[in-house]
Amino acid sequence: MSGNELRAVARRGLMLVLSSPSGAGKTTISRALLERETGISMSVSATTRSPRPGEIDGKDYHFVDVDRFHRMVEAGEFLEHARVFSNYYGTPRAPVEATLAGGKDVLFDIDWQGTQQLAQNARADLVSVFILPPSLEELHRRLSGRGLDSADVVAERMAKAGDEMSHWPEYDYIVVNSDLETSIGEVRSILAAARLKRERQAGLPAFVNRLRGLDRDSGG
Amino acid sequence: MSGNELRAVARRGLMLVLSSPSGAGKTTISRALLERETGISMSVSATTRSPRPGEIDGKDYHFVDVDRFHRMVEAGEFLEHARVFSNYYGTPRAPVEATLAGGKDVLFDIDWQGTQQLAQNARADLVSVFILPPSLEELHRRLSGRGLDSADVVAERMAKAGDEMSHWPEYDYIVVNSDLETSIGEVRSILAAARLKRERQAGLPAFVNRLRGLDRDSGG
């Protein structure tokens, strides 16, 4: 074994997007991914809404006022942003760019509209996964919640989930979440494979030159 | 749980190609993949060379005579073919097509020339992986074999491996085989991810229609 063998090939990071209708398991899968994988962290959004008890500025969100948010939008400082009810949310570009340049990955838990904006701004770095529930019955069961909601409310949630699901053709990968552990494994495989894509391994030309003895001086 | 949940989404199979210079571990990785994965089998080549003791026609190779081979070439029955010394080798198209149509995958252990031909004939179904040795020293060690060969012979093998390695930019994925178990895991992740690509899951439109309640009759 030479020192060379243990030196990983330098790579550029990637943006892993998970989207799904509510109830499909996206949040649980995201959390498991962050616990089990190294080299990937969650994107921290900026928002104009007030911090909730226990939320930490810079960790859970970057809390900014509306003026600041609008100036950031105008300066092109967001990779994606949206208004949800009366609050604004956005993904600041600079920290994501710095993470990717350092060869680390960023996880995004966003909807199809955010994904479309990310794709416009950074398609080459994007790997997008859409998570589907396993069946209509299971979706209905999860959206019915504790069984306390009226049929109208449940029907509205089903319709909203249906609209969200209609965007599956815009994603690179589709995971049907029948079994949580299987789905976590599938998303981890998608991440592992994306890291092995030729064009993401920026250090390969130099690495192969060393292997071919074309650049012995920089070898191990 | 409904019956629907356990029904996998129908998909088209894929062709997984592993290439590498000799000594990089391709054959060991292929064997491990076939042992540990279901739904993937090795492509059986046709050849004009004579069977070696123990080789079974239809399992190890399809043994054909030179006339038959040439007629198959002219009829476009090969996905790729090549002459190696005085023998011909080729991948018959029909069994591969039947396997893919049945939603199963096919593994190919072929060089860059075969991979180029496969890419010309079936690009959409192809996932190609190039395996590199971890260092120049390790490559030299493996190609020196038992240490019984002359420096000239070893130099010739290094040069041949170097030529082969120059084709890494033609592959989708690059695996540096520093540790065999890690590399096997990486190739398995590439296969798992490739199976989850949206465009390979041919049954998705019907599956999502059932989820959205647009086609209840065919649901579970």
Side-chain angles (χ1 to χ4, degrees):
Chain A
M1 299 272 285
S2 75
N4 209 8
E5 289 185 36
L6 298 173
R7 192 186 309 161
V9 174
R11 70 175 182 89
R12 182 169 168 78
L14 58 89
M15 305 190 306
L16 182 65
V17 167
L18 301 186
S19 296
S20 78
S22 74
K26 173 181 58 166
T27 306
T28 312
I29 293 171
S30 295
R31 206 168 290 150
L33 200 72
L34 292 169
E35 278 170 16
R36 300 184 198 183
E37 293 283 343
T38 58
I40 188 165
S41 57
M42 197 81 186
S43 166
V44 179
S45 297
T47 183
T48 60
R49 80 155 165 76
S50 303
R52 290 179 191 144
E55 282 185 342
I56 298 166
D57 186 33
K59 179 169 179 290
D60 298 297
Y61 286 94
H62 300 289
F63 295 101
V64 299
D65 63 27
V66 175
D67 275 357
R68 173 82 197 284
F69 195 96
H70 286 312
R71 284 200 308 275
M72 290 176 77
V73 171
E74 279 158 31
E77 290 178 26
F78 287 120
L79 280 171
E80 59 87 31
H81 61 96
R83 182 174 175 157
V84 181
F85 301 109
S86 58
N87 296 310
Y88 294 92
Y89 295 83
T91 301
R93 182 190 298 268
V96 172
E97 285 293 336
T99 305
L100 300 182
K104 305 285 186 184
D105 306 319
V106 183
L107 181 64
F108 294 84
D109 174 346
I110 54 178
D111 70 3
W112 63 270
Q113 286 163 308
T115 307
Q116 282 187 350
Q117 290 183 48
L118 276 192
Q120 277 163 20
N121 290 323
R123 186 68 190 95
D125 294 321
L126 190 67
V127 176
S128 61
V129 182
F130 200 84
I131 298 161
L132 289 169
S135 71
L136 187 64
E137 295 81 352
E138 178 65 14
L139 180 67
H140 192 274
R141 196 183 66 74
R142 293 182 189 173
L143 293 176
S144 306
R146 301 146 302 168
L148 301 175
D149 300 303
S150 72
D152 279 1
V153 169
V154 174
E156 198 179 300
R157 286 183 191 153
M158 288 292 283
K160 187 158 174 275
D163 287 347
E164 186 76 28
M165 286 196 288
S166 71
H167 290 277
W168 70 269
E170 298 156 26
Y171 287 75
D172 301 324
Y173 295 94
I174 312 291
V175 167
V176 177
N177 184 19
S178 302
D179 172 76
L180 188 62
E181 276 304 317
T182 303
S183 299
I184 292 167
E186 289 179 343
V187 174
R188 295 183 75 187
S189 288
I190 290 166
L191 174 63
R195 289 170 167 176
L196 295 164
K197 282 283 258 184
R198 173 182 33 78
E199 61 268 29
R200 282 214 183 80
Q201 299 191 62
L204 273 173
F207 181 81
V208 178
N209 278 346
R210 285 201 304 275
L211 275 181
R212 298 181 64 199
L214 302 178
D215 181 22
R216 282 165 188 271
D217 289 344
S218 67
Chain B
M1 299 270 286
S2 76
N4 208 8
E5 291 186 32
L6 298 172
R7 191 186 309 159
V9 174
R11 69 174 183 91
R12 180 167 169 80
L14 58 90
M15 307 191 303
L16 181 66
V17 167
L18 300 186
S19 295
S20 77
S22 74
K26 174 181 55 166
T27 306
T28 312
I29 293 171
S30 295
R31 204 168 291 148
L33 199 72
L34 293 170
E35 278 171 16
R36 301 184 198 183
E37 293 284 343
T38 56
I40 188 165
S41 58
M42 197 82 187
S43 166
V44 178
S45 297
T47 183
T48 59
R49 79 156 167 74
S50 303
R52 291 178 189 144
E55 283 184 342
I56 299 166
D57 186 32
K59 181 170 179 287
D60 297 298
Y61 286 95
H62 301 289
F63 295 102
V64 299
D65 62 27
V66 175
D67 276 358
R68 173 82 197 284
F69 195 95
H70 287 313
R71 284 200 308 276
M72 290 175 77
V73 171
E74 280 158 29
E77 291 179 25
F78 287 120
L79 281 171
E80 58 86 30
H81 61 94
R83 181 175 176 156
V84 181
F85 301 110
S86 58
N87 296 310
Y88 295 92
Y89 295 84
T91 302
R93 182 191 299 267
V96 172
E97 286 292 337
T99 305
L100 300 183
K104 304 284 187 184
D105 307 318
V106 184
L107 181 64
F108 294 84
D109 175 348
I110 55 178
D111 69 4
W112 63 270
Q113 286 164 307
T115 307
Q116 282 188 349
Q117 290 182 49
L118 276 192
Q120 278 163 19
N121 290 323
R123 186 68 190 95
D125 294 322
L126 190 67
V127 176
S128 60
V129 182
F130 200 84
I131 298 160
L132 289 169
S135 71
L136 187 63
E137 295 81 353
E138 178 65 14
L139 180 67
H140 191 273
R141 196 185 66 75
R142 292 182 189 173
L143 292 175
S144 305
R146 301 147 302 171
L148 301 174
D149 300 303
S150 71
D152 278 1
V153 168
V154 173
E156 199 179 298
R157 286 183 190 154
M158 288 291 283
K160 187 156 173 278
D163 287 348
E164 186 76 26
M165 285 196 287
S166 72
H167 290 277
W168 69 269
E170 298 157 27
Y171 287 74
D172 300 325
Y173 294 94
I174 312 290
V175 168
V176 177
N177 183 19
S178 302
D179 172 76
L180 188 61
E181 276 303 318
T182 303
S183 299
I184 292 166
E186 289 179 344
V187 174
R188 295 183 74 187
S189 288
I190 290 167
L191 175 63
R195 289 169 167 175
L196 295 165
K197 282 282 257 184
R198 173 183 32 80
E199 61 268 29
R200 281 213 184 80
Q201 299 192 62
L204 273 174
F207 181 80
V208 178
N209 278 345
R210 286 202 303 276
L211 275 181
R212 297 181 65 198
L214 303 178
D215 180 22
R216 283 165 186 272
D217 289 345
S218 66

